[in-house]
Amino acid sequence: MPFSLRPPWPVSFLLALSIIALAIPLLALLGMEAARLTSSERNRLFNEARLNAERIAADLDQTMNGYIAILESLATTPALAEGDLATVYRQAEAALRPRGLYAFLRDSNGQMLFNTRLPYGAALPTTTGFDGQVISGNRAVISDVVIGEVAKRPVMAVSVPVYQGGDLRFVLSLSLEPSLMKELLDRQKMPPEWRATIVDRKGVVIARTRLHDEFVGKPLSDLARTDGDEMEGLDLEGRVVKWGIAPSRVSGWTVYVSVLSELVDAAARDALLNYVLIVAAFTCVGIAGAVGMARVITQPLDAAERAAKALGEGRAVEFKPTLVAEANAIGAALVEAAELREQAEQQIMLLMREVNHRSKNMLAVVQAIARQMPSNDPKLFVRQFSDRIVGLAASQDLLIESNWQGVRVADLVRSQLALFRELIGTRIDISGPPVRLQPPAAQAIGMALHELATNASKYGALSDENGKLRIKWHLEGNGENREFVLAWVEEDGPPVKPPERRGFGYTIMVAMVEKSLDATVTVDYAESGLKWTVRAPARCTYEGPETAGGPAKRKSA
């Protein structure tokens, strides 16, 4: 088709416009996405640094708790309680020296009594900066970095008070080398360009992953706060870094993990560049492919147009699958519509034959009822004939509702006792398992139940306010001997007498049921109440062994 600026436009032009319409807002959002990617990447690295700092702080807390547990164990030795300091010295040296730890003991005045760095009995100084927090707080105290009076180099101390008789007797301490904290940091396995540093409460370096010996005892560089909780500044090597910070709750020290700011910026730039390249590539590919895809789309559309014309003209519809799913769906729908039109015409003819067949069957049942009715009294004939047609109609309604797939016995009983529904559950008891009757059985038993209910309301248990009615059913036996049993039992009603003659009602209750279900029907006119029982082969139900969804058939004699 020749191109024109006026609609309608070809598919290739519309596809090109759609690609451009998508590309323009994507390019406009590129600047916003760049800022978001930069911020996201920076936050990711900062959070990673902070998580590393928290992990180191947790490890440091666990280590310090272990040192405190060692001191508390030594503080409870019997030798210390007895004042046998030489034995305490030997125990502490044997337990601590393999771990690189040293213990020292002071009295309440600060006089050092022994130090495992020196032989027992060596002259020891009185500590000038005796830690009063140990005494006032009655708890373990971890010091900042100090120059040890015996070690003569930067050390830290963990101290616990020792009370005897309620009075402070000693202060037992561990002397910690900064190298122990360096070993803790080396276990963390961080990237080579990252640095981890532990500083005390005064900001003095205790340990560092790189250049440890050079910076121990020196103050950490000042930090400059930027966005949110992100910290940025110069580290001890003069590098511009971002800090992840976590406090040690046990020692009061702080763990710093730093990552180079240029690494953060480089990661953000790489993410942005990848984003730009992806957007540009998709845009170019989309525009270039628009024209080619237009040719792929137009051919299936032409085929669908030809199929639609054939359907409208009533001709055979043909459509071969194409590469376009939507066009295939349209073509398949057109082919299916042609098939459905033919099937619908056949279905209409089938339904007409089925309606004709069922109408004849129903008229045959009505005709049988009419022939067996007494005809000498027209009014009696009309009344009784109408009553039985009502019972037949109730069963017919249930069959129609179930699409002629059988009627549940419970529904059939309740429909025939609809006039006495308020008595169900009090004077009328209905019980039995879920069983469905086939259509012929449902029609025969429904009419019999209607006849029984009518007689019970006139002469039987339902005519007396004290009368009761029980209707129960079940399946019994196995295989070919399996039977459906239904019982109608009246109790506490007026005294029952056998009828002097058998009328049409008896024919409905007995003969019609026996013939329709190939059943045995017994009627017991006991004085206490009528009892009507049906025993029929289970094939009259949809649970029977010979059931295949069709009507029940009589056994051949």
Side-chain angles (χ1 to χ4, degrees):
M1 294 178 60
F3 177 76
S4 173
L5 293 177
R6 295 182 179 181
W9 294 306
V11 173
S12 57
F13 179 70
L14 294 175
L15 288 176
L17 285 181
S18 65
I19 297 298
I20 294 173
L22 289 174
I24 291 177
L26 287 177
L27 294 174
L29 291 174
L30 182 60
M32 298 172 59
E33 185 63 16
R36 190 194 68 80
L37 286 174
T38 301
S39 176
S40 175
E41 190 63 21
R42 285 177 176 172
N43 289 335
R44 184 188 68 80
L45 291 176
F46 171 72
N47 288 333
E48 188 174 349
R50 178 177 55 80
L51 291 174
N52 275 277
E54 291 176 352
R55 186 177 66 251
I56 296 172
D59 197 358
L60 178 60
D61 288 343
Q62 184 177 4
T63 302
M64 289 301 171
N65 284 327
Y67 292 156
I68 293 172
I70 292 173
L71 284 175
E72 291 175 345
S73 177
L74 289 172
T76 58
T77 59
L80 184 59
E82 296 170 358
D84 186 359
L85 302 186
T87 300
V88 178
Y89 174 89
R90 289 192 299 272
Q91 293 174 343
E93 185 181 36
L96 301 178
R97 187 174 293 277
R99 305 183 184 185
L101 299 173
Y102 302 94
F104 59 94
L105 184 70
R106 295 169 289 177
D107 62 17
S108 59
N109 296 318
Q111 174 62 50
M112 194 174 297
L113 303 177
F114 70 74
N115 190 317
T116 58
R117 291 180 184 273
L118 299 174
Y120 183 77
L124 297 171
T126 300
T127 54
T128 56
F130 184 71
D131 195 352
Q133 294 181 359
V134 181
I135 302 173
S136 62
N138 189 21
R139 59 182 175 83
V141 173
I142 301 174
S143 73
D144 292 329
V145 177
V146 297
I147 302 298
E149 296 188 25
V150 174
K152 305 303 182 183
R153 59 178 180 270
V155 293
M156 299 79 68
V158 181
S159 304
V160 297
V162 180
Y163 287 88
Q164 292 181 357
D167 298 326
L168 179 68
R169 181 74 181 277
F170 305 107
V171 175
L172 183 61
S173 305
L174 282 181
S175 178
L176 306 178
E177 297 286 346
S179 60
L180 295 173
M181 302 297 105
K182 173 66 165 58
E183 293 174 2
L184 183 146
L185 294 178
D186 291 341
R187 294 197 297 265
Q188 307 306 316
K189 306 297 183 182
M190 291 189 302
E193 295 300 323
W194 291 38
R195 304 288 187 268
T197 306
I198 301 176
V199 301
D200 63 14
R201 287 177 286 267
K202 296 179 182 178
V204 177
V205 175
I206 296 175
R208 196 168 188 271
T209 52
R210 292 291 299 275
L211 303 176
H212 168 78
D213 295 333
E214 181 179 345
F215 294 112
V216 169
K218 295 183 179 181
L220 192 67
S221 300
D222 294 335
L223 301 177
R225 182 176 293 276
T226 57
D227 296 335
D229 294 331
E230 186 176 339
M231 306 293 289
E232 186 173 22
L234 297 177
D235 66 1
L236 294 172
E237 301 174 43
R239 308 182 309 166
V240 180
V241 296
K242 295 185 182 295
W243 301 94
I245 304 172
S248 168
R249 294 178 175 82
V250 176
S251 64
W253 303 339
T254 305
V255 178
Y256 292 85
V257 174
S258 62
V259 57
L260 283 171
S261 294
E262 64 183 33
L263 291 179
V264 177
D265 295 337
R269 285 195 302 270
D270 291 343
L272 176 61
L273 179 60
N274 291 335
Y275 176 78
V276 172
L277 292 177
I278 291 173
V279 172
F282 273 101
T283 302
C284 293
V285 171
I287 295 176
V291 175
M293 290 302 299
R295 296 178 181 177
V296 176
I297 294 175
T298 53
Q299 292 178 355
L301 292 179
D302 292 340
E305 180 183 0
R306 292 192 296 270
K309 289 181 178 179
L311 177 64
E313 295 172 359
R315 295 184 287 107
V317 177
E318 296 182 357
F319 186 87
K320 296 181 179 180
T322 66
L323 297 178
V324 182
E326 288 77 5
N328 290 342
I330 295 174
L334 293 172
V335 173
E336 183 179 3
E339 295 175 352
L340 290 176
R341 180 185 61 187
E342 183 178 357
Q343 293 175 4
E345 293 174 353
Q346 296 175 356
Q347 185 69 14
I348 290 173
M349 295 300 297
L350 178 63
L351 290 176
M352 291 178 65
R353 289 195 296 269
E354 180 67 15
V355 170
N356 182 48
H357 173 70
R358 293 191 179 181
S359 298
K360 289 180 179 179
N361 288 344
M362 182 59 64
L363 290 173
V365 173
V366 174
Q367 186 180 32
I369 295 172
R371 285 177 176 176
Q372 299 181 52
M373 293 289 296
S375 58
N376 53 349
D377 188 346
K379 293 183 179 180
L380 178 61
F381 173 85
V382 171
R383 184 174 67 255
Q384 292 182 350
F385 183 75
S386 298
D387 289 343
R388 287 166 175 85
I389 293 299
V390 168
L392 180 62
S395 302
Q396 191 74 8
D397 288 342
L398 292 176
L399 287 171
I400 293 174
E401 290 176 3
S402 65
N403 198 23
W404 286 82
Q405 297 300 313
V407 177
R408 293 195 307 171
V409 177
D411 294 339
L412 182 62
V413 172
R414 291 177 181 275
S415 68
Q416 298 300 339
L417 293 176
L419 295 177
F420 310 99
R421 64 172 62 92
E422 70 279 359
L423 300 180
I424 297 177
T426 55
R427 293 172 55 194
I428 300 178
D429 178 36
I430 300 175
S431 62
V435 176
R436 289 186 303 132
L437 294 173
Q438 295 196 37
Q443 289 178 333
I445 291 180
M447 293 185 64
L449 291 174
H450 180 80
E451 188 69 24
L452 287 167
T454 301
N455 292 340
S457 65
K458 294 180 179 180
Y459 319 110
L462 298 182
S463 67
D464 190 294
E465 61 181 9
N466 296 320
K468 296 180 181 179
L469 171 62
R470 288 186 295 111
I471 305 173
K472 54 185 179 180
W473 63 91
H474 64 276
L475 289 166
E476 63 182 30
N478 296 306
E480 294 291 334
N481 297 323
R482 190 165 175 79
E483 291 184 327
F484 168 71
V485 181
L486 172 66
W488 172 292
V489 181
E490 300 180 21
E491 298 174 344
D492 300 334
V496 176
K497 296 180 180 180
E500 296 179 356
R501 63 180 183 85
R502 295 179 178 180
F504 182 63
Y506 184 86
T507 301
I508 291 177
M509 292 189 300
V510 178
M512 185 177 294
V513 174
E514 289 181 338
K515 181 178 180 180
S516 299
L517 278 69
D518 192 18
T520 300
V521 179
T522 59
V523 182
D524 183 5
Y525 295 96
E527 185 176 356
S528 58
L530 175 71
K531 183 176 181 181
W532 175 80
T533 305
V534 178
R535 303 185 70 90
R539 61 179 178 273
C540 72
T541 71
Y542 278 104
E543 285 73 17
E546 297 181 7
T547 296
K553 297 180 179 178
R554 292 180 56 84
K555 293 181 180 179
S556 59

